[in-house]
């Protein structure tokens, strides 16, 4: 209730459908966290808070973009999310060595999301990066620090 009473927005990190999210997001003991995330979203809604989601995209999650899009929009009924891309330029994390996105991967990500967003045709659906590119195309400055 503190968040609602004080006008806080809440974002939850979820990287896609359960098997995508659980690939890298586990507890210390190695247990899956996707069901806890779903429960947290439900709990927030029960107290009147509509959460945003932050989705980290890795190379291995690219092939599940449509599945994750449908999961967010149809199952979780998410209306506002942002994308973080994983790019380990200096290859400092050996576990994630093959997960960095290339420029071509990023192009595929953005164009696929844009196509899915257009196909959904839901004015209440906000994907931060699509909104930012639209602002840039209109000569405006987006709010996202990675775009300014």
């Amino acid at each position: 209730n503190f968040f609602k009473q004080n006008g806080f927005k809440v974002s939850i990190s979820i990287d896609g459908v359960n098997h995508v999210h659980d690939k890298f997001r586990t507890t210390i003991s190695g247990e899956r966290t996707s069901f806890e995330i779903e429960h947290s979203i439900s709990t927030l809604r029960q107290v009147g808070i509509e959460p945003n989601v932050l989705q980290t995209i890795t190379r291995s999650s690219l092939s599940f973009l449509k599945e994750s899009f449908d999961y967010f929009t149809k199952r979780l009924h998410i209306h506002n999310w942002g994308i973080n891309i994983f790019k380990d330029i200096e290859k400092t994390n050996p576990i994630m060595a093959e997960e960095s996105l290339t420029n071509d991967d990023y192009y595929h990500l953005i164009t696929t999301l844009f196509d899915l967003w257009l196909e959904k045709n839901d004015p209440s659906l906000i994907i931060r990066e699509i909104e930012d590119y639209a602002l840039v195309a209109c000569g405006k400055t987006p709010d996202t620090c990675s775009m300014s």
Side-chain angles (χ1 to χ4, degrees):
N1 285 333
F2 173 82
F3 292 123
K4 183 171 174 85
Q5 291 171 352
N6 292 286
F8 281 90
K9 291 184 179 180
V10 177
S11 294
I12 294 179
S13 293
I14 184 167
D15 297 338
V17 291
N18 294 343
H19 65 91
V20 170
H21 176 81
D22 292 332
K23 182 172 182 176
F24 298 112
R25 307 267 189 174
T26 59
T27 64
I28 291 173
S29 60
E31 295 181 35
R32 303 168 52 171
T33 60
S34 57
F35 295 115
E36 290 177 27
I37 298 295
E38 289 179 11
H39 178 72
S40 296
I41 290 170
S42 177
T43 300
L44 286 166
R45 286 182 172 146
Q46 288 172 8
V47 297
I49 296 173
E50 186 57 38
N52 300 332
V53 298
L54 295 172
Q55 178 185 23
T56 298
I57 301 287
T58 61
R59 175 167 271 172
S60 61
S61 67
L62 275 175
S63 53
F64 300 101
L65 286 176
K66 180 168 181 6
E67 189 179 351
S68 292
F69 182 92
D70 289 344
Y71 171 70
F72 287 157
T73 59
K74 294 176 183 175
R75 181 168 171 186
L76 298 180
H77 306 286
I78 297 298
H79 293 281
N80 193 330
W81 82 79
I83 303 295
N84 295 321
I85 63 164
F86 181 79
K87 194 160 191 160
D88 187 7
I89 296 170
E90 297 183 17
K91 309 266 188 235
T92 57
N93 186 341
I95 295 171
M96 301 291 288
E98 302 301 317
E99 294 297 331
S100 284
L101 266 62
T102 64
N103 290 340
D104 288 342
D105 293 335
Y106 184 68
Y107 175 81
H108 172 72
L109 164 67
I110 294 301
T111 57
T112 300
L113 274 180
F114 187 75
D115 289 344
L116 291 168
W117 176 76
L118 280 176
E119 184 181 308
K120 182 76 174 162
N121 194 24
D122 178 355
S124 70
L125 178 59
I126 298 168
I127 301 174
R128 179 184 64 197
E129 286 65 25
I130 292 172
E131 195 164 271
D132 285 351
Y133 279 114
L135 286 169
V136 169
C138 294
K140 299 188 180 199
T141 303
D143 293 332
T144 308
C145 59
S146 63
M147 294 287 291
S148 35

